[in-house]
Amino acid sequence: MIKITTPCRLHITLIDMNGEIGRVDGGAGLTLSSPNIKVTAEEADGIRIAGLQGFADRMKKAAETLLPEGKGIRIEVKELIPAHVGFGSGTQSSLAAAAAVNELYGLGKSVRELAFTVKRGGTSGIGVTAFEKGGFIVDGGHRFKDKGAFMPSAASRVPPGPVLFREDFPDWDIVIAVPDEKGMHDQEEIDVFKKFCPLPIEEVREVAHMVLMKMMPAVIEGDIESFGAAVNHVQTIGFNKRESMIWPDFVKNIASFMRSRSYGAGVSSFGPVVYAFVDNREEGRQLQSEVQKMLDESVGGVTMMTRAKNSGAQISKT
């Protein structure tokens, strides 16, 4: 039997949605210790997804893509990451199923090979690298001539971009708000990319400057003040700025409040997950409690406090 526990990720920013110098996408993100997808897998006749069913179709499709002819698999889903909220659940669920087949039948494929096979990581490589290695990640996007258009990962058919930087993230507490709503996905995502891209080159340069000269050094030096300031800054420019134009009011209100009570806060991917970085556990618990009240009084949802995960998915065979 195979046991797999995936992490999830926060997507902090896309870098280049202009393409003038020949590359697009690129991004910065962070692997979280929780929530997780947990599955077990064993050989079976045909393909069966048992247990929690949130990603059954996606997992079945991923398994089908990799299974050797005449072989089958039974995957039991023990825990799930919420879908379409900004945690990268699509990538983690597909890779969990693909990795299960890979381990069960000794296919010997790398995580990046699995990701390309199941068509994940075509815009952001953060989720793929989170599954593979964890930590804080910056990826280098894609050659525009290979990709050909500004598209979200689910609609892109190119391999994950190269990892430019991967570093263990400091042991800071991260307060997470998970509203009881879904973010944009599928055709809605595609439409947003089409509407806003290409972005002005000046904003791309500003995002790149923030990531390279503030965010990355802050991770290495354990400087939460500079890291938070960089997170706050990239919310106001580039693709994040365009996403903020279409956030519902409850997301704007929660993000603004969390920013005022932490070193930095942002919305992951298309949201509605909002995250904030704190270095005082008691203050973090207080922020978590106050944000929970905001959720209870608006759309509902849950809050949590977690930390980064500096390793990838846990895969074991018994």
Side-chain angles (χ1 to χ4, degrees):
M1 179 180 287
I2 306 297
K3 294 182 179 180
I4 298 175
T5 300
T6 80
C8 65
R9 62 95 175 111
L10 297 175
H11 197 280
I12 296 172
T13 186
L14 286 167
I15 295 174
D16 190 336
M17 303 310 292
N18 172 275
E20 184 176 297
I21 63 171
R23 295 190 76 84
V24 292
D25 307 326
L30 173 63
T31 312
L32 296 182
S33 295
S34 60
N36 310 102
I37 292 174
K38 293 185 178 182
V39 303
T40 61
E42 56 191 355
E43 294 185 31
D45 294 328
I47 302 174
R48 184 181 172 203
I49 311 298
L52 301 174
Q53 293 293 298
F55 298 103
D57 290 345
R58 185 186 296 275
M59 288 184 170
K60 183 177 181 181
K61 186 174 181 181
E64 280 176 338
T65 306
L66 283 151
L67 274 170
E69 187 174 353
K71 300 294 185 179
I73 191 170
R74 180 185 185 275
I75 298 173
E76 183 164 355
V77 184
K78 308 282 192 179
E79 289 184 25
L80 280 179
I81 296 169
H84 303 307
V85 299
F87 280 142
S89 60
T91 294
Q92 300 305 317
S93 58
S94 293
L95 286 176
V101 175
N102 190 49
E103 292 294 322
L104 201 58
Y105 290 105
L107 304 184
K109 292 184 179 292
S110 69
V111 171
R112 293 176 71 83
E113 287 173 328
L114 295 176
F116 182 62
T117 302
V118 299
K119 299 181 172 62
R120 301 306 301 182
T123 295
S124 166
I126 304 301
V128 174
T129 309
F131 187 95
E132 182 181 24
K133 298 178 180 179
F136 176 80
I137 304 147
V138 178
D139 80 88
H142 305 90
R143 291 184 296 183
F144 194 62
K145 66 179 182 179
D146 293 338
K147 190 168 181 182
F150 300 99
M151 299 285 276
S153 290
S156 303
R157 297 294 177 261
V158 288
V163 177
L164 305 181
F165 179 84
R166 185 268 163 211
E167 185 78 12
D168 280 1
F169 196 76
D171 201 21
W172 301 328
D173 288 314
I174 308 167
V175 179
I176 308 284
V178 190
D180 193 14
E181 295 281 347
K182 301 297 184 187
M184 284 180 294
H185 54 93
D186 300 331
Q187 189 60 46
E188 289 177 309
E189 274 190 331
I190 294 171
D191 292 344
V192 171
F193 277 81
K194 287 181 177 179
K195 178 178 180 180
F196 291 121
C197 300
L199 298 182
I201 190 65
E202 294 80 10
E203 292 188 49
V204 169
R205 291 168 179 159
E206 192 173 349
V207 173
H209 194 183
M210 274 288 125
V211 171
L212 178 64
M213 293 302 293
K214 196 158 193 172
M215 199 175 288
M216 289 163 57
V219 171
I220 294 173
E221 295 176 348
D223 181 354
I224 193 171
E225 187 172 346
S226 292
F227 185 83
V231 168
N232 287 341
H233 193 103
V234 298
Q235 303 301 306
T236 67
I237 50 176
F239 201 71
N240 283 349
K241 177 182 177 181
R242 275 67 187 181
E243 289 175 331
S244 72
M245 295 175 182
I246 48 184
W247 292 341
D249 287 343
F250 72 85
V251 172
K252 294 178 183 178
N253 293 339
I254 291 171
S256 177
F257 180 75
M258 292 178 75
R259 190 168 295 118
S260 73
R261 299 285 298 274
S262 68
Y263 286 99
V267 178
S268 181
S269 190
F270 276 97
V273 157
V274 187
Y275 58 88
F277 299 94
V278 297
D279 65 352
N280 181 297
R281 176 63 61 92
E282 185 176 336
E283 291 177 3
R285 292 293 185 201
Q286 182 64 31
L287 176 59
Q288 182 185 357
S289 175
E290 291 172 355
V291 173
Q292 185 65 58
K293 290 178 184 176
M294 294 178 72
L295 287 174
D296 292 342
E297 293 168 0
S298 56
V299 297
V302 298
T303 59
M304 63 187 75
M305 193 152 70
T306 186
R307 292 188 176 184
K309 180 175 171 58
N310 288 318
S311 56
Q314 296 167 275
I315 303 174
S316 62
K317 193 171 186 177
T318 57

